[in-house]
Amino acid sequence: MSNNGETGSATVLEVNNLKKYYPSVKAVDDISFEVNAGEIVSILGPNGAGKTTTIEIIEGLRTKDEGEISYFGRFKEVNNEVKNRVGVCFQENSFFEDLTVSETIRLYKSLYEKSLDTKELIEIFELEEKVKTRIRHLSGGQKQRLAVALAFVNDPDLVFLDEPTVGLDPHARRNLWEIILKFKSQGKGIVLTTHYMDEAQQLSDKVYIMDHGNIITAGSPQELINSSGLESVIEFPEESSALFEDVIIAGEYAYLHTRDTVSAIRKLLESNVTNFVVRQPTLEDVFLKLTGKKID
Amino acid sequence: MKKYLVLFKSLFKELFLTSKDSVFWLTIFPTILFLILTSIFGNMEENVQFRVKILGDSEMLKGILDNIEQMDAEFIQDYSQETIDALKVELERDNIDAILVLPNDFDKLYSTSLLLRKTFLFRQVPVELYDVPLRQSSAIASDVIKGIFGSMDVPENVGYEVHNLSGEQYDYNNFIYPGIIGMTIMSVFLCAFMSYLIYFRRKKILRKISTTPISMINVYLTTAAVNLIALIIGLCGLSVVAYFLGVDVVTYLPSMIVHTLIACGVLTMMTLVVMTFSSNSSGLFVFQQVFLQIQMFAGGFYFPLKVLTPFIRKLANFLPLTYTVDGIRSAKGLNSLNTNHYIVPLIYLLLSTLIVLFRSRKLTVLQ
């Protein structure tokens, strides 16, 4: 494992010039990034940006055309040693429906050389009451928590979480954020792909925004917001978008990024548009500005 | 080893113990199928052609027999007592239906007896007829022969010496038992095994497992082991019922074990071969159905190969489970093929294993 000299900053994943071309599309076009231990890295992008292909290549589920991937500074391919140190939670998770929660955890534990204690894992993910429940009888949220728990079952050093909080209520989402941050504090490198911009903003140390197979920008959420040049965002109904030149329309709303907030508000009020919101820019605004699309 | 045991236990529970469908199709259905087939066909004779060996020569009889379609008569002119003894064994084993032994110069003797029938010089022409009255086909063949002589002007010209042998009655139960075993093997290792893998793949369970250190080939083989246990349970139930219906299960047992294991290996590897070529469920399903139907109907599972058309008989020679079923039947002498029953299945096993090893990456990587 390479080390940058600081405790907890060992590089657990390094991707260089990764390419994956299909006949009609460049799914991944020469991208590079790295993930350090104790770091959460988010990969964001609209549908078809190449996020999933990138992650699946790194997970060893797809072949790459070109480029180099280094796991833990030592391994160039996904061998069993790498698999023992990597946890994966897919966006769509499936289980053996007739096994109980504890049987499922025991099954996946048995497949790895090392593992977390079953009881501890069940407590962390608040599945105590469902230990003897068959998977088919779990709710969507409970299944999602179990899926994330299975990503950590082998006490991995590198974890891929693809939409880990989909299907969870706001309370459960925040609980899961806390769990993810706790694992991060234990030195695990986490790669997160999410559609929730607030999630990426809250959890990520670094964000990579992808579009058309390329990384179009990278940095910490705050760096991205600061470097975007956005001062204020005014959000108002799409039917009034003709009032301004540089508005981004996404769904029923138009988004105006401006430094001259007062003039913009005056213009809206003069046009009898009163249902608008003025707020500080977020990662979502950066995303919107860069890709021109609101994440679905 | 522990991981395989845990995986086996989990898969056994998931695929078999908690699945009412699996329990029915893999263990109960073969027995029901056996009961249905034996109740429908149990009293039927296997063939409508009577196989008769005629020792001696007679142009007159040849002329008559040529006009009887159901008679498959073969004349053997040069014979000895050993020939008669060997044919009696064949008759007892149900390989032929009747033996007719003619005296030398039968035609001449018969003509003479006709001429002299009203004189004191008249002598009956002695013929010997061997049959197995217990067996319907043999009894009918015997009656047909008597009927032929009966139609030849004066029946009393021929004096019969009828030998009733004690060969076994043709037993459909014993015949169909290996066919049901073949069907059960296909149900488990073609339908269930392949369907499980299709289901795992569609539900993306295999994708999750492929991110763990266990080899995908071993996951498939563990799934196959679960199916093997289900198959053994199913065959045990079938065999108990078959035993009480008079099937000679004990005689069948050794060849059943050997041929079943080879067939399971063949179908497991063939399934994996198809999986390396077809990434979608429909492709696997098409293979499953096409192979199942062809093997089931052309493979002599329910009827002897000899009643099938020549083309189908040729096709059957290329199907691996034809040899499984026929190989098991050979323990009771009910086989249709007199070739080696291991070569073709082992060629299938070897080739498919090589293809799987060569293309093993296709089983793990998405493209």
Side-chain angles (χ1 to χ4, degrees):
Chain A
M1 188 187 295
S2 67
N3 197 302
N4 300 344
E6 294 172 51
T7 308
S9 64
T11 303
V12 290
L13 177 69
E14 197 173 341
V15 177
N16 288 310
N17 309 112
L18 186 67
K19 291 179 187 173
K20 177 76 179 178
Y21 296 164
Y22 292 110
S24 59
V25 67
K26 291 179 176 179
V28 181
D29 190 15
D30 198 12
I31 67 166
S32 302
F33 65 94
E34 63 176 38
V35 182
N36 293 322
E39 188 177 67
I40 298 179
V41 168
S42 289
I43 300 178
L44 308 179
N47 287 337
K51 309 182 298 282
T52 304
T53 307
T54 303
I55 297 299
E56 285 181 347
I57 292 170
I58 297 168
E59 290 166 347
L61 296 171
R62 284 183 195 274
T63 53
K64 62 179 190 284
D65 289 338
E66 277 181 46
E68 200 170 82
I69 305 170
S70 172
Y71 304 88
F72 312 110
R74 284 174 57 195
F75 306 102
K76 301 294 177 196
E77 60 179 37
V78 183
N79 54 26
N80 280 352
E81 213 166 327
V82 170
K83 285 180 175 178
N84 266 312
R85 296 174 63 182
V86 170
V88 176
C89 171
F90 293 115
Q91 188 173 351
E92 289 172 61
N93 289 286
S94 279
F95 310 93
F96 294 119
E97 295 282 317
D98 284 309
L99 298 189
T100 65
V101 168
S102 62
E103 284 169 341
T104 303
I105 292 175
R106 211 173 300 135
L107 167 64
Y108 281 96
K109 267 182 69 168
S110 73
L111 303 180
Y112 294 99
E113 281 175 10
K114 62 170 182 159
S115 58
L116 289 179
D117 179 57
T118 307
K119 202 177 160 198
E120 185 189 343
L121 205 60
I122 284 168
E123 278 173 12
I124 291 170
F125 286 91
E126 298 177 357
L127 290 164
E128 296 98 322
E129 289 176 10
K130 299 292 173 185
V131 167
K132 291 186 178 172
T133 306
R134 285 191 192 176
I135 305 292
R136 66 168 70 250
H137 297 134
L138 295 182
S139 68
Q142 288 160 345
K143 282 185 184 175
Q144 189 61 26
R145 272 188 278 152
L146 177 62
V148 181
L150 293 180
F152 288 97
V153 76
N154 55 328
D155 194 14
D157 297 315
L158 173 62
V159 187
F160 294 92
L161 301 176
D162 192 357
E163 305 289 353
T165 59
V166 160
L168 299 184
D169 59 57
H171 176 70
R173 273 181 72 204
R174 293 202 172 264
N175 281 351
L176 197 54
W177 289 1
E178 283 175 26
I179 294 168
I180 292 170
L181 288 170
K182 188 180 163 200
F183 280 117
K184 175 200 159 185
S185 70
Q186 292 173 2
K188 299 182 191 311
I190 297 170
V191 179
L192 180 71
T193 47
T194 179
H195 279 80
Y196 298 120
M197 289 294 157
D198 56 335
E199 187 166 284
Q201 194 166 340
Q202 288 283 330
L203 298 178
S204 311
D205 297 296
K206 256 188 290 181
V207 172
Y208 292 89
I209 296 181
M210 283 187 77
D211 201 10
H212 302 296
N214 291 298
I215 291 175
I216 53 176
T217 190
S220 70
Q222 202 51 53
E223 281 170 0
L224 292 181
I225 293 166
N226 293 343
S227 64
S228 68
L230 302 174
E231 284 201 343
S232 299
V233 179
I234 304 175
E235 196 176 321
F236 57 95
E238 177 266 333
E239 57 263 28
S240 305
S241 59
L243 291 171
F244 304 96
E245 280 183 6
D246 294 326
V247 290
I248 298 169
I249 299 165
E252 294 175 356
Y253 292 92
Y255 298 85
L256 176 66
H257 301 118
T258 177
R259 290 168 191 274
D260 190 1
T261 315
V262 176
S263 300
I265 291 172
R266 188 177 298 134
K267 204 169 182 179
L268 283 167
L269 291 172
E270 282 169 3
S271 305
N272 291 326
V273 179
T274 54
N275 51 340
F276 58 85
V277 175
V278 182
R279 54 173 173 76
Q280 290 297 305
T282 63
L283 195 56
E284 186 160 6
D285 298 309
V286 176
F287 183 87
L288 204 55
K289 186 186 174 196
L290 291 170
T291 65
K293 298 166 204 160
K294 195 171 166 53
I295 207 158
D296 295 323
Chain B
M1 192 62 198
K2 188 190 159 200
K3 65 183 169 190
Y4 295 114
L5 284 175
V6 176
L7 182 63
F8 179 88
K9 205 174 132 190
S10 303
L11 287 171
F12 192 68
K13 183 179 176 191
E14 173 76 15
L15 302 179
F16 191 67
L17 287 183
T18 57
S19 169
K20 290 189 185 92
D21 286 353
S22 295
V23 170
F24 176 78
W25 287 109
L26 305 188
T27 64
I28 299 172
F29 181 70
T31 304
I32 292 174
L33 185 63
F34 178 73
L35 291 171
I36 291 170
L37 287 172
T38 51
S39 65
I40 295 173
F41 300 114
N43 294 320
M44 279 180 64
E45 282 295 339
E46 61 171 323
N47 61 342
V48 291
Q49 279 251 315
F50 304 111
R51 301 149 300 174
V52 179
K53 300 287 183 193
I54 300 173
L55 304 180
D57 195 15
S58 166
E59 291 303 319
M60 187 173 58
L61 274 179
K62 278 178 188 167
I64 295 170
L65 290 170
D66 282 349
N67 291 315
I68 304 175
E69 277 183 18
Q70 282 79 14
M71 289 297 267
D72 176 14
E74 185 190 352
F75 283 82
I76 301 170
Q77 291 175 26
D78 297 321
Y79 65 93
S80 60
Q81 186 56 43
E82 283 76 28
T83 313
I84 297 173
D85 292 341
L87 286 175
K88 279 158 73 178
V89 173
E90 293 294 299
L91 177 59
E92 284 172 337
R93 285 183 179 167
D94 190 26
N95 290 330
I96 53 178
D97 295 314
I99 306 166
L100 179 66
V101 183
L102 303 175
N104 289 335
D105 299 327
F106 172 81
D107 287 351
K108 194 175 161 191
L109 288 173
Y110 184 75
S111 303
T112 307
S113 75
L114 273 179
L115 284 171
L116 301 175
R117 65 183 174 172
K118 298 217 167 150
T119 70
F120 69 96
L121 293 172
F122 169 74
R123 296 283 181 277
Q124 279 188 326
V125 184
V127 297
E128 286 180 80
L129 181 61
Y130 294 82
D131 65 6
V132 180
L134 273 175
R135 209 164 53 229
Q136 201 179 351
S137 61
S138 183
I140 294 173
S142 181
D143 285 345
V144 169
I145 292 167
K146 288 175 189 168
I148 290 168
F149 288 124
S151 68
M152 291 163 67
D153 290 344
V154 186
E156 61 269 22
N157 286 344
V158 176
Y160 304 106
E161 188 183 335
V162 179
H163 303 268
N164 294 146
L165 303 183
S166 58
E168 289 177 12
Q169 190 172 8
Y170 173 73
D171 185 352
Y172 188 76
N173 295 11
N174 266 304
F175 174 81
I176 198 64
Y177 175 68
I180 301 291
I181 291 171
M183 198 56 216
T184 311
I185 294 170
M186 286 211 297
S187 295
V188 175
F189 273 88
L190 194 66
C191 300
F193 178 56
M194 193 176 270
S195 300
Y196 293 150
L197 297 186
I198 291 171
Y199 172 77
F200 289 166
R201 189 180 257 190
R202 205 179 58 225
K203 291 250 312 175
K204 299 185 176 170
I205 293 173
L206 291 179
R207 207 158 79 116
K208 171 67 181 166
I209 293 178
S210 71
T211 64
T212 72
I214 194 167
S215 133
M216 287 309 288
I217 294 280
N218 289 336
V219 173
Y220 296 133
L221 294 181
T222 308
T223 309
V226 167
N227 281 273
L228 181 62
I229 298 298
L231 176 69
I232 290 169
I233 293 169
L235 291 185
C236 285
L238 169 68
S239 299
V240 168
V241 174
Y243 177 80
F244 285 109
L245 286 175
V247 174
D248 191 357
V249 174
V250 177
T251 303
Y252 275 130
L253 194 62
S255 65
M256 179 177 100
I257 292 171
V258 175
H259 285 289
T260 298
L261 288 175
I262 293 172
C264 293
V266 169
L267 290 183
T268 299
M269 298 318 285
M270 281 176 68
T271 299
L272 295 184
V273 167
V274 179
M275 285 193 74
T276 68
F277 284 99
S278 176
S279 58
N280 60 39
S281 306
S282 54
L284 295 171
F285 187 72
V286 166
F287 168 78
Q288 181 192 79
Q289 287 305 309
V290 169
F291 185 85
L292 180 84
Q293 302 299 336
I294 292 175
Q295 178 69 79
M296 184 169 64
F297 290 111
F301 280 27
Y302 300 143
F303 300 100
L305 285 172
K306 58 194 167 196
V307 305
L308 302 174
T309 63
F311 171 75
I312 299 293
R313 278 208 299 272
K314 277 206 171 64
L315 176 66
N317 289 335
F318 295 96
L319 300 171
L321 265 68
T322 303
Y323 296 89
T324 304
V325 172
D326 205 64
I328 298 172
R329 280 182 185 143
S330 68
K332 286 280 292 173
L334 298 172
N335 50 307
S336 301
L337 301 170
N338 290 317
T339 53
N340 187 303
H341 289 95
Y342 298 102
I343 291 174
V344 173
L346 287 175
I347 288 172
Y348 267 90
L349 183 63
L350 182 70
L351 286 179
S352 48
T353 304
L354 287 174
I355 295 170
V356 168
L357 290 175
F358 187 67
R359 297 175 61 84
S360 61
R361 192 161 168 74
K362 295 277 180 190
L363 293 173
T364 55
V365 177
L366 308 169
Q367 287 300 330

